[in-house]
C-alpha cells in the first residue's frame, strides 16, 4: 500500500513540475495582453489596418506610378535567348501541330496554327526592333501583378471588418494630420474621453516605451511578396501616432475578451497544479527516504522467472517502458491558451493514471534487473542466451564460410529486388519491358544454379545417409571449388578413413586374438614342464640321476619363463613410453662389436658365415648405450635363430650425412608373412609354429627403443632375404 501511495505522489509531483516548465512561459505573465497569442492578434489587426486604411493607395494610383528601366527592357528582350533562338523555338513548338493537322486533312486548323506562329514570331521580332514595344508589354505585366495584389488582399477584408468591430483605434498621420478612427468623436472632443483605463481593458499607445510611431512600411505577413506593389508602397511610407484599445463593454462573444477571461482561469490552475506538484514530489522524496519504498519491491519469488527471460529483452523492455513513461510526462503537457479547459483536465487525469502505471512498471523492472546484475558470474551465461548474441552468432556462422554467406546474401537481395520489381510492374505495367529481360538474364540463371546446387546437396545428404548405415557407395563427384565441393571431398576422405579404420580394427582384433593365444602358449609351455617335473620329483621311486635331470629341466624352463615375463614387462613399458633414457656419447661400431662378442661362441658353433663391415673411424651418437645394446642383441639373436643354415649374414655400419646407418641382412629359414608390419607386433615370430626359442617380442622392443631415440627401424623382405636397417641421428 505504501508503494502505491508513493508512486502516486511521485508521478503527480513530476507531472506538475514538467507542466510548470512547459506552461511557465505563458502563465507567469501578468495578464493575457502580455502573451504571444494576444501579440499576434494585435499585429494581425495592425497589418489589416495599414493595408486597408492607413496606406490609402488605390489600384489606379499605383498603376500610374509604374516605371520601366532599361535593364528591365533588356532582361525581357533576352529572357528566352537571342532573336534566332526564340524564333527557332517558336517554330519547333508549332511544327508538329501543323504537320498533324495537315495529315488529318484539317487545313483550316493548320492555317490557324501558322497564323498564331507567325504572330508570335512578329511579336518577338518587334521586341528586338523597338524599346517602346517591350516597355508596353512590361507595363502590362506590372499592371496584371497590381490587379493580382488587390484581388488577393480583398480576400482578407472580411477578417479586417471582424477585427475592426473588436478594437477601438484613433491614429493621426504625423505629417498630414489626417485622422483614422472608428470612434464617433466630435471635433471639439478629446480622444482621452473615449479611450481611457476606465472604459478600456487594454490600451496600446503610439509612440510608447515599447513601440515607436506606427509605420506603414514593410511587408505584410499574410500576403505574398509582390515585386511590383511592394516597392511602390514603400515609397509612400507614413508614420502615425495614437491609440489602439480593447473596450471593456465589448460583447461577451468577443473572442479576445473570452481568451482574456479563459487565461485568468488557466493561470490559477497552472499555479495550483505546479505548486501542488512540487509539494507532492518533495513528499515522495521524504517518504522514500524514511521507508525505502523502492527497496521494498518484492523480487525473491518472481526473480527466477524473470532471470529466464533473455537479458537483452529485459533491457530493451526497461528502455521501452522508460522512454514511453518520459513521453507520457511530456506529451500534451502544455496547457494552450486556446485549449478547452475541461478537455485539458480530463486528459491530464487520464494521462496521470496511465503514467503512474508505467512508472511503477519501469521501477519494478529496474529493481528486477538490478538484482539480476548483482550476480556478475551469471552475466556471461545470460549474454550467451541473449537474442542479440544468438543473432550475432547466427550471422557469424552464416559467414563462417564467406562464399556461402555472400551467395546467400546476394540470392536474398536478388529475390527481394525482383519481388519489389514485380509489385512495381503490377502498379505500372509499362515497366514490364524492363522487368522481363532482367528476369530472363538474372533470375532464370540463378534459378538453374539453385536447382543444380540443391540436387548436388541432395546427393551429398543421400550419400551420408548410406554411410551412416554402413553402405560404402562410390565416391561423391567433386564438382568445382564451392563449399559443397569441399564438403563432398571431406565426406569422401572421411569414408576412406572409415574403411581404413575398419580394416585396422579388424586387424587389431585378429592380432589381439593371436596375442592372447601366443602369450597363453608361450607361458603355458614352460609352466607345464615345471609342473610336470615337479610332480615327478614328488614320487618315491625317482633315481638320483633322474632327479638331477628333472631339476635341470625345471631350472631351464623357469629361466625361460622369467625371460618371457621380463620381455613382456619391458615391451609394455616401451609401448607406454614409461621409460627414461640415460644418453651419452657412444661409439656405435664398438657397441656393435661388443654385442657380437656376446654371441661369439654361438656364431662359431653355427653354420652361418658373418660378414662385418665397419668404417675405420668411430661413429658416435648420443644414445642410451644399454638400451641400444639390447637392440643389437635382439637383432643378432633373431639372425642366429631364424637364418637358413650354411648362408651368409651381412652386418654393416656407415655414416651418411648426419645419420648413422646399421644394416643387418640374412637369409631366413622360414617363409615370412607378406605383411611386414606384423613382425613388429608383440609375440610375432618368423617361426609361425613357435618351435624355436624366443619370446616374439624382440623386434617390438627394438623398434620401441629406436623410436624413443627419434630414429627409425625398417624391415625389407625380398623373397628369403631379410634386411633390418637402423638409422640414428649423430648430432
Amino acid at each position: 500500500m505504501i508503494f502505491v501511495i508513493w508512486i502516486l505522489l511521485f508521478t503527480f509531483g513530476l507531472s506538475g513540475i514538467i507542466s510548470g516548465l512547459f506552461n511557465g512561459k505563458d502563465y507567469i505573465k501578468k495578464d493575457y495582453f502580455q502573451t504571444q497569442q494576444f501579440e499576434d492578434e494585435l499585429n494581425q489587426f495592425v497589418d489589416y489596418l495599414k493595408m486597408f486604411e492607413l496606406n490609402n493607395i488605390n489600384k489606379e494610383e499605383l498603376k500610374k506610378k509604374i516605371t520601366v528601366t532599361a535593364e528591365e527592357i533588356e532582361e525581357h528582350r533576352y529572357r528566352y535567348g537571342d532573336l534566332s533562338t526564340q524564333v527557332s523555338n517558336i517554330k519547333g513548338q508549332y511544327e508538329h501541330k501543323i504537320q498533324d493537322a495537315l495529315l488529318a486533312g484539317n487545313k483550316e486548323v493548320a492555317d490557324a496554327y501558322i497564323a498564331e506562329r507567325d504572330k508570335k514570331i512578329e511579336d518577338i521580332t518587334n521586341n528586338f526592333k523597338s524599346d517602346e514595344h517591350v516597355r508596353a508589354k512590361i507595363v502590362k505585366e506590372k499592371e496584371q501583378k497590381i490587379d493580382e495584389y488587390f484581388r488577393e488582399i480583398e480576400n482578407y477584408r472580411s477578417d479586417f471588418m471582424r477585427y475592426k468591430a473588436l478594437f477601438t483605434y484613433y491614429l493621426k498621420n504625423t505629417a498630414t494630420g489626417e485622422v483614422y478612427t472608428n470612434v464617433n468623436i466630435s471635433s471639439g472632443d478629446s480622444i482621452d474621453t473615449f479611450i481611457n483605463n476606465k472604459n478600456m481593458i487594454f490600451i496600446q499607445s503610439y509612440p510608447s516605451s515599447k513601440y515607436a510611431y506606427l509605420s506603414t512600411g514593410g511587408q505584410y505577413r499574410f500576403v505574398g511578396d509582390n515585386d511590383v506593389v511592394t516597392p511602390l508602397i514603400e515609397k509612400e511610407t507614413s508614420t502615425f501616432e495614437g491609440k489602439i484599445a480593447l473596450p471593456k463593454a465589448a460583447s461577451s462573444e468577443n473572442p479576445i475578451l473570452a481568451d482574456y477571461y479563459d487565461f485568468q482561469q488557466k493561470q490559477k490552475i497552472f499555479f495550483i497544479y505546479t505548486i501542488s506538484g512540487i509539494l507532492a514530489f518533495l513528499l515522495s522524496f521524504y517518504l522514500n527516504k524514511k521507508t525505502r519504498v523502492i527497496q521494498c519491491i518484492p523480487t525473491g519469488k518472481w526473480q527466477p522467472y524473470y532471470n529466464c527471460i533473455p537479458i537483452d529483452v529485459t533491457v530493451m523492455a526497461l528502455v521501452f517502458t522508460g522512454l514511453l513513461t518520459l513521453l507520457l510526462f511530456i506529451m500534451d503537457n502544455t496547457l494552450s491558451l486556446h485549449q478547452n479547459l475541461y478537455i485539458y483536465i480530463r486528459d491530464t487525469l487520464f494521462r496521470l493514471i496511465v503514467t503512474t502505471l508505467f512508472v511503477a512498471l519501469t521501477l519494478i523492472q529496474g529493481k528486477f534487473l538490478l538484482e539480476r546484475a548483482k550476480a556478475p558470474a551469471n552475466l556471461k551465461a545470460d549474454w550467451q542466451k541473449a537474442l542479440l548474441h544468438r543473432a550475432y552468432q547466427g550471422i557469424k556462422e552464416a559467414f563462417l564460410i564467406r562464399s556461402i554467406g555472400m551467395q546467400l546474401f546476394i540470392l536474398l537481395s536478388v529475390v527481394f529486388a525482383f519481388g519489389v520489381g514485380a509489385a512495381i510492374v503490377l502498379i505500372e505495367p509499362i515497366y514490364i519491358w524492363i522487368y522481363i529481360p532482367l528476369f530472363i538474364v538474372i533470375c532464370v540463371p540463378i534459378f538453374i544454379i539453385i536447382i543444380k546446387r540443391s540436387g548436388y546437396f541432395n546427393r551429398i545428404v543421400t550419400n551420408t545417409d548410406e554411410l551412416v548405415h554402413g553402405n560404402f557407395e562410390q565416391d561423391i563427384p567433386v564438382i568445382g571449388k564451392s563449399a559443397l565441393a569441399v564438403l563432398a571431398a571431406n565426406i569422401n576422405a572421411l569414408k576412406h578413413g572409415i574403411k581404413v579404420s575398419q580394416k585396422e580394427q579388424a586387424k587389431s582384433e585378429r592380432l589381439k586374438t593371436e596375442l592372447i593365444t601366443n602369450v597363453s602358449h608361450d607361458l603355458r609351455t614352460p609352466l607345464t614342464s615345471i609342473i610336470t617335473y615337479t610332480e615327478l620329483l614328488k614320487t618315491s621311486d625317482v633315481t638320483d640321476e633322474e632327479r638331477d635331470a628333472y631339476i635341470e629341466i625345471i631350472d631351464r624352463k623357469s629361466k625361460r619363463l622369467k625371460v618371457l615375463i621380463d620381455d613382456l614387462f619391458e615391451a609394455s613399458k616401451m609401448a607406454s613410453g614409461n621409460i627414461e633414457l640415460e644418453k651419452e656419447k657412444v661409439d656405435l661400431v664398438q657397441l656393435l662389436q661388443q654385442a657380437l662378442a656376446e654371441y661369439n661362441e654361438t656364431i662359431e658353433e653355427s653354420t652361418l658365415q658373418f660378414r662385418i663391415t665397419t668404417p675405420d673411424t668411430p661413429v658416435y651418437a648420443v644414445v642410451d648405450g644399454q638400451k641400444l645394446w639390447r637392440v643389437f642383441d635382439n637383432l643378432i639373436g633373431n639372425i642366429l635363430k631364424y637364418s637358413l643354415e650354411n648362408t651368409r649374414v651381412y652386418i654393416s655400419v656407415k655414416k651418411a650425412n648426419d645419420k648413422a646407418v646399421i644394416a643387418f641382412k640374412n637369409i631366413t629359414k622360414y617363409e615370412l608373412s607378406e605383411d611386414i608390419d606384423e613382425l613388429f607386433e608383440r609375440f610375432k615370430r618368423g617361426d609361425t609354429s613357435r618351435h624355436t626359442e624366443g619370446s616374439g617380442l624382440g623386434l617390438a622392443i627394438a623398434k620401441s627403443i629406436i623410436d624413443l631415440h627419434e630414429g627409425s627401424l625398417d624391415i625389407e623382405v625380398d623373397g628369403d632375404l631379410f634386411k633390418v636397417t637402423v638409422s640414428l641421428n649423430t648430432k
Side-chain angles (χ1 to χ4, degrees):
M1 185 63 185
I2 190 68
F3 176 75
V4 175
I5 296 173
W6 179 85
I7 203 71
L8 287 171
L9 289 172
F10 175 80
T11 306
F12 176 74
L14 196 58
S15 178
I17 293 172
I18 293 174
S19 176
L21 294 174
F22 275 85
N23 297 315
K25 65 181 184 299
D26 290 325
Y27 293 105
I28 60 174
K29 308 284 187 181
K30 180 180 179 181
D31 56 32
Y32 172 70
F33 300 118
Q34 295 182 359
T35 64
Q36 186 63 44
Q37 180 175 332
F38 177 75
E39 188 80 12
D40 293 339
E41 294 274 9
L42 180 61
N43 290 335
Q44 185 80 353
F45 170 64
V46 171
D47 279 350
Y48 284 144
L49 190 61
K50 285 194 258 184
M51 184 170 60
F52 288 106
E53 289 191 12
L54 301 183
N55 274 326
N56 197 22
I57 298 176
N58 60 41
K59 180 168 58 175
E60 298 304 323
E61 289 178 351
L62 285 178
K63 289 182 179 179
K64 292 178 183 179
K65 296 179 180 180
I66 292 174
T67 60
V68 179
T69 64
E71 289 79 6
E72 289 177 327
I73 292 173
E74 287 298 305
E75 188 277 330
H76 186 278
R77 179 176 288 157
Y78 289 97
R79 184 176 296 171
Y80 302 105
D82 57 18
L83 177 61
S84 60
T85 301
Q86 295 186 49
V87 171
S88 177
N89 290 338
I90 293 171
K91 289 180 178 180
Q93 293 173 9
Y94 284 91
E95 184 65 29
H96 70 281
K97 296 181 180 179
I98 296 170
Q99 293 298 327
D100 291 343
L102 291 174
L103 290 174
N106 295 327
K107 190 175 184 304
E108 294 180 357
V109 175
D111 291 340
Y113 282 138
I114 292 172
E116 186 178 339
R117 179 198 65 187
D118 293 342
K119 184 178 179 180
K120 288 187 176 181
I121 292 174
E122 182 182 2
D123 180 65
I124 294 299
T125 304
N126 289 333
N127 283 347
F128 285 86
K129 289 181 178 180
S130 171
D131 288 349
E132 292 301 322
H133 180 77
V134 178
R135 182 178 286 106
K137 292 172 67 175
I138 295 174
V139 169
K140 186 176 181 180
E141 289 179 358
K142 290 187 175 183
E143 288 178 345
Q144 289 176 350
K145 288 188 176 182
I146 292 173
D147 292 336
E148 290 174 1
Y149 172 79
F150 277 93
R151 282 196 300 270
E152 183 179 2
I153 68 172
E154 197 61 32
N155 295 328
Y156 297 100
R157 185 171 292 277
S158 60
D159 292 336
F160 168 64
M161 298 308 295
R162 179 174 59 84
Y163 275 108
K164 189 174 181 178
L166 300 177
F167 287 95
T168 298
Y169 62 93
Y170 180 89
L171 297 169
K172 183 170 67 174
N173 191 313
T174 58
T176 64
E178 186 176 1
V179 175
Y180 298 86
T181 182
N182 61 349
V183 178
N184 189 13
I185 183 173
S186 301
S187 59
D189 295 334
S190 171
I191 190 61
D192 293 335
T193 306
F194 298 92
I195 302 177
N196 53 54
N197 293 329
K198 183 177 179 181
N199 52 16
M200 297 292 166
I201 196 172
F202 167 79
I203 299 174
Q204 177 61 55
S205 299
Y206 299 94
S208 66
S209 58
K210 184 177 181 181
Y211 294 99
Y213 288 94
L214 184 61
S215 173
T216 58
Q219 178 65 29
Y220 306 128
R221 291 174 296 172
F222 50 88
V223 180
D225 186 27
N226 191 303
D227 58 352
V228 175
V229 177
T230 301
L232 294 175
I233 293 177
E234 288 178 348
K235 289 180 181 179
E236 302 296 332
T237 299
S238 302
T239 57
F240 294 83
E241 61 182 2
K243 298 178 180 181
I244 297 176
L246 189 67
K248 289 182 180 179
S251 170
S252 59
E253 296 181 357
N254 186 323
I256 297 178
L257 284 180
D259 288 340
Y260 170 76
Y261 294 119
D262 185 59
F263 174 85
Q264 290 180 327
Q265 290 182 339
K266 291 178 179 177
Q267 192 177 45
K268 293 177 183 178
I269 293 175
F270 162 75
F271 282 112
I272 293 172
Y273 189 24
T274 302
I275 294 172
S276 60
I278 294 172
L279 293 175
F281 185 79
L282 293 175
L283 183 59
S284 68
F285 183 78
Y286 174 78
L287 188 63
N288 180 62
K289 185 177 180 180
K290 287 293 183 181
T291 61
R292 302 290 181 182
V293 177
I294 298 177
Q295 295 182 5
C296 295
I297 298 175
T299 59
K301 180 180 179 181
W302 303 101
Q303 189 71 44
Y305 299 101
Y306 181 82
N307 292 345
C308 293
I309 304 173
I311 191 167
D312 52 342
V313 174
T314 62
V315 172
M316 287 187 288
L318 178 61
V319 172
F320 174 76
T321 55
L323 292 176
L324 189 58
T325 303
L326 183 61
L327 184 63
L328 287 170
F329 274 118
I330 298 173
M331 185 179 62
D332 294 334
N333 222 328
T334 303
L335 178 56
S336 302
L337 296 176
H338 55 77
Q339 187 176 4
N340 183 279
L341 187 59
Y342 167 76
I343 294 176
Y344 172 77
I345 295 174
R346 182 197 65 189
D347 292 346
T348 300
L349 289 175
F350 176 76
R351 190 178 64 254
L352 278 174
I353 295 172
V354 176
T355 305
T356 302
L357 294 175
F358 274 93
V359 169
L361 183 60
T362 302
L363 290 175
I364 292 171
Q365 287 187 88
K367 182 65 181 302
F368 274 104
L369 189 59
L370 183 62
E371 292 295 326
R372 188 172 184 174
K374 287 181 179 178
N378 298 329
L379 289 179
K380 185 175 181 180
D382 286 340
W383 172 242
Q384 297 294 331
K385 299 176 183 177
L387 296 182
L388 290 176
H389 182 264
R390 293 178 184 177
Y392 168 74
Q393 289 297 120
I395 295 173
K396 184 178 178 181
E397 290 176 0
F399 285 88
L400 188 61
I401 301 177
R402 187 170 298 177
S403 60
I404 292 181
M406 290 304 299
Q407 289 173 15
L408 182 62
F409 176 77
I410 293 171
L411 176 63
L412 293 177
S413 300
V414 170
V415 170
F416 177 78
F418 276 90
V420 173
I424 294 174
V425 169
L426 289 175
I427 298 172
E428 295 290 342
I430 190 173
Y431 293 112
I432 194 171
W433 301 109
I434 300 174
Y435 182 80
I436 290 178
L438 290 176
F439 183 84
I440 294 173
V441 172
I442 299 176
C443 276
V444 172
I446 289 178
F447 179 75
I448 294 172
I449 291 172
I450 292 174
I451 294 297
K452 289 184 177 180
R453 294 290 176 88
S454 299
Y456 192 31
F457 179 74
N458 290 334
R459 290 179 65 182
I460 294 173
V461 172
T462 302
N463 197 281
T464 54
D465 288 339
E466 294 296 327
L467 182 61
V468 169
H469 292 89
N471 301 325
F472 296 97
E473 294 185 346
Q474 60 182 0
D475 289 348
I476 307 170
V478 179
I479 303 173
K481 297 181 179 180
S482 65
L484 290 178
V486 174
L487 177 61
N490 290 340
I491 291 175
N492 290 338
L494 180 63
K495 185 191 303 181
H496 293 303
I498 292 174
K499 288 181 179 179
V500 172
S501 177
Q502 287 181 340
K503 290 181 180 178
E504 292 293 332
Q505 186 177 3
K507 176 182 176 182
S508 177
E509 292 295 330
R510 177 174 58 81
L511 292 175
K512 188 186 296 183
T513 302
E514 291 182 4
L515 173 63
I516 295 172
T517 302
N518 293 339
V519 169
S520 300
H521 179 273
D522 289 345
L523 293 178
R524 186 184 296 114
T525 300
L527 187 58
T528 302
S529 298
I530 292 171
I531 294 172
T532 301
Y533 286 103
T534 301
E535 290 296 329
L536 291 174
L537 285 174
K538 292 179 181 180
T539 59
S540 57
D541 54 349
V542 178
T543 64
D544 292 337
E545 292 79 3
E546 290 175 335
R547 180 178 291 105
D548 293 338
Y550 294 163
I551 291 172
E552 192 277 330
I553 293 172
I554 291 173
D555 179 64
R556 188 172 69 251
K557 296 299 182 182
S558 298
K559 291 178 180 178
R560 167 65 180 155
L561 188 59
K562 182 179 183 302
V563 170
L564 287 171
I565 294 173
D566 289 343
D567 285 351
L568 180 60
F569 284 156
E570 187 169 2
S572 298
K573 288 172 66 178
M574 292 289 183
S576 63
N578 188 20
I579 189 171
E580 294 183 2
L581 299 178
E582 296 179 3
K583 292 185 177 182
E584 57 183 353
K585 190 174 182 180
V586 175
D587 181 3
L588 299 181
V589 175
Q590 184 180 4
L591 186 64
L592 176 63
Q593 291 173 347
Q594 290 176 359
L596 287 169
E598 291 290 330
Y599 286 96
N600 191 41
E601 184 178 349
T602 307
I603 292 172
E604 291 179 355
E605 293 176 356
S606 69
T607 61
L608 300 176
Q609 299 179 24
F610 277 75
R611 298 290 185 265
I612 311 299
T613 304
T614 58
D616 296 333
T617 58
V619 178
Y620 291 104
V622 180
V623 295
D624 187 327
Q626 183 178 359
K627 297 293 188 298
L628 191 58
W629 181 88
R630 178 66 184 276
V631 173
F632 294 160
D633 181 72
N634 287 351
L635 293 177
I636 296 169
N638 284 343
I639 289 173
L640 292 171
K641 282 186 285 212
Y642 299 118
S643 293
L644 184 65
E645 291 81 358
N646 299 310
T647 58
R648 294 186 181 89
V649 175
Y650 296 90
I651 300 176
S652 64
V653 179
K654 63 180 180 179
K655 185 176 181 181
N657 297 326
D658 295 332
K659 298 282 186 181
V661 180
I662 306 99
F664 300 83
K665 292 186 285 185
N666 66 291
I667 304 298
T668 64
K669 67 170 69 175
Y670 303 105
E671 185 177 353
L672 298 176
S673 170
E674 294 181 357
D675 191 352
I676 301 301
D677 292 337
E678 288 190 7
L679 292 174
F680 289 119
E681 298 295 335
R682 299 172 188 175
F683 293 96
K684 199 70 178 179
R685 298 187 192 172
D687 173 18
T688 55
S689 63
R690 311 189 71 81
H691 291 155
T692 58
E693 292 291 332
S695 63
L697 295 169
L699 284 178
I701 293 173
K703 181 168 177 56
S704 296
I705 292 173
I706 297 301
D707 289 342
L708 289 173
H709 283 84
E710 297 179 355
S712 63
L713 189 152
D714 300 316
I715 295 177
E716 297 179 29
V717 175
D718 186 3
D720 292 334
L721 176 63
F722 184 80
K723 179 180 178 182
V724 177
T725 304
V726 176
S727 178
L728 293 169
N729 295 320
T730 57
K731 289 186 178 180

